[in-house]
Amino acid sequence: MKAKITATARYLPERILTNFDLEKMVDTTDDWIRSRTGIETRHLVSEGEATSDMGTHIVRQLLERSGKKASEIDLILVATSTPDYPVVSTAALIQDKIKAENAWGFDIVAACTGFVYAMETGAKMIESGKYKNVVVIGADTMSSIIDYTDRNTCIIFGDGGGGVLLEPSDNDEGILDSILHTDGSGSQYLTVQAGGSLHPASKDTLEKKMHYIYQDGKKVFKFAVKRMAEVSKAILDKNGLHGDDVSLFIPHQANRRIIDATAKRCGLHKDQVFVNINRYGNTTAGTIPIAIDEAVELNRLAEGDLLLLAAFGGGFTWGSMLIRWGAIS
Ligand code: UT7
């Protein structure tokens, strides 16, 4: 038995931050941001709006589209690095907001690879035969950990999320394979240093701005291109497939140049690659499920199509997933 996607959804908060807005906040230009990252706008939550609110919108949309009741959900998995609270999972908050009385759930922290990790977890739960309706969400409120005076990070990230409903599949449609990796020796290159057990929140950590995301952009860039291409090629080779067999490639949207370089190394043409980074920036665990939902809306996925996902992120974490697309509601 396999797990297949039977409904998709996304949520982007209303507020929009443009490159021109950022020009007024830090020493940067629209031209620099566009040419170095491909980003033009990103969405931001409003005051009082958090990751569980985005997740709740997403699950409500999934229920509406699939015609299921909240009580039918067995499991809620939330990939996020920006939970509402350090203690109490985002999954628990969503479970309560939608009154999914028969569901249990938990969060998965794997930065930008989080959604692929969560999809693998959800798929294995379905394959066990014990769970029938698994909601997998990828959502991040990156604005909650961004220093809007740091031009190295504030131009890249945005808020948003997406999700899918996974159900059992008894034919060849569904999640076919995945390859996932972790290498914690890269943890210092993309991290939030304070607010955890090593550096609990204190006046000192606040003064040193340790609650904001730090990244060594160049290191992460090199790692991303190498690993995303490697793991995408590896999953195709493992399944006896070539670039031409891929109907749609949805890579993590971190930087347009990373996406283009990865596609080139994998021998994929422009029209096989889904790109929306120009509108949303990098929404961390949100980029892939947002793109899947948009691809459905734009009729870029048909029954029988082969969908390739690839992601990389802090940790370091990276991975790929192959999906035979099926009918969705
Ligand atoms: O999901 C994983 C998350 N992270 C990523 O995927 C990030 C991966 N890294 C990147 O996307 C890129 O490294 C960045 C977009 C962060 C930076 O682009 P870059 O082409 O690697 O720029 P750079 O760091 O090599 O900087 C080039 C120049 C520097 O000036 P000098 O030393 O050449 O005079 C920087 O100070 O550009 C300068 N610079 C900027 N200028 C205007 C750096 N950031 C900015 C900025 N606006 N925002």
Side-chain angles (χ1 to χ4, degrees):
M1 195 210 289
K2 280 194 267 300
K4 72 172 182 182
I5 295 173
T6 56
T8 66
R10 69 180 186 277
Y11 178 78
L12 279 312
E14 264 174 41
R15 209 150 59 95
I16 290 176
L17 183 71
T18 67
N19 292 350
F20 300 104
D21 296 328
L22 284 162
E23 281 183 353
K24 295 178 202 135
M25 296 158 68
V26 289
D27 181 14
T28 193
T29 61
D30 169 57
D31 185 51
W32 192 96
I33 301 172
R34 243 199 269 210
S35 60
R36 298 288 181 128
T37 70
I39 302 168
E40 292 163 31
T41 56
R42 63 263 333 114
H43 289 239
L44 300 185
V45 294
S46 305
E47 213 183 315
E49 196 177 20
T51 306
S52 75
D53 298 308
M54 297 199 287
T56 301
H57 279 286
I58 291 162
V59 183
R60 289 206 174 115
Q61 216 174 81
L62 290 174
L63 292 175
E64 202 180 297
R65 289 179 178 175
S66 63
K68 304 238 183 230
K69 295 196 241 9
S71 59
E72 290 177 80
I73 300 173
D74 299 310
L75 173 59
I76 301 168
L77 299 173
V78 183
T80 188
S81 301
T82 50
D84 293 27
Y85 304 108
V87 177
V88 175
S89 71
T90 316
L93 299 173
I94 295 171
Q95 181 275 338
D96 179 49
K97 286 180 185 177
I98 59 164
K99 302 291 171 220
E101 64 215 33
N102 298 311
W104 63 292
F106 57 97
D107 291 3
I108 292 175
V109 185
C112 304
T113 319
F115 183 73
V116 183
Y117 274 37
M119 284 286 277
E120 171 75 348
T121 311
K124 295 304 161 205
M125 295 292 192
I126 298 255
E127 286 169 28
S128 75
K130 193 168 172 186
Y131 305 103
K132 303 254 175 292
N133 292 300
V134 175
V135 166
V136 183
I137 296 166
D140 269 299
T141 308
M142 295 307 289
S143 60
S144 66
I145 52 170
I146 296 286
D147 174 1
Y148 283 97
T149 65
D150 176 10
R151 69 178 184 177
N152 290 308
T153 51
C154 73
I155 56 139
I156 298 172
F157 294 100
D159 301 337
V164 302
L165 178 66
L166 292 181
E167 290 187 69
S169 160
D170 47 17
N171 55 27
D172 65 348
E173 291 169 352
I175 297 172
L176 305 180
D177 200 6
S178 68
I179 300 179
L180 300 171
H181 294 283
T182 301
D183 177 3
S185 69
S187 61
Q188 73 271 31
Y189 302 120
L190 183 51
T191 182
V192 175
Q193 287 182 311
S197 56
L198 183 61
H199 301 295
S202 69
K203 200 165 166 255
D204 187 49
T205 60
L206 273 178
E207 274 167 11
K208 289 181 177 153
K209 296 189 165 193
M210 288 166 70
H211 302 87
Y212 292 126
I213 195 162
Y214 162 82
Q215 100 167 328
D216 181 334
K218 269 194 190 320
K219 270 263 183 338
V220 179
F221 190 99
K222 278 188 201 152
F223 163 84
V225 173
K226 182 172 185 287
R227 294 305 199 185
M228 280 234 290
E230 225 171 62
V231 79
S232 302
K233 280 196 274 189
I235 202 164
L236 292 177
D237 287 351
K238 188 178 162 207
N239 288 273
L241 297 163
H242 301 283
D244 289 350
D245 298 313
V246 175
S247 315
L248 191 64
F249 175 48
I250 299 186
H252 169 50
Q253 314 277 311
N255 184 318
R256 178 71 204 236
R257 289 185 294 139
I258 296 176
I259 296 171
D260 291 346
T262 305
K264 196 172 165 201
R265 287 187 187 197
C266 295
L268 297 167
H269 307 292
K270 261 191 173 164
D271 54 4
Q272 290 172 286
V273 185
F274 196 89
V275 181
N276 62 7
I277 189 169
N278 51 317
R279 281 174 290 134
Y280 307 135
N282 181 351
T283 54
T284 302
T287 68
I288 292 182
I290 290 171
I292 293 177
D293 187 52
E294 280 199 348
V296 170
E297 198 171 282
L298 296 167
N299 290 320
R300 299 235 359 222
L301 282 165
E303 254 184 276
D305 277 0
L306 195 64
L307 171 63
L308 173 64
L309 310 179
F312 73 93
F316 288 129
T317 56
W318 68 105
S320 58
M321 179 167 267
L322 263 184
I323 299 174
R324 177 74 61 196
W325 197 253
I328 65 154
S329 43

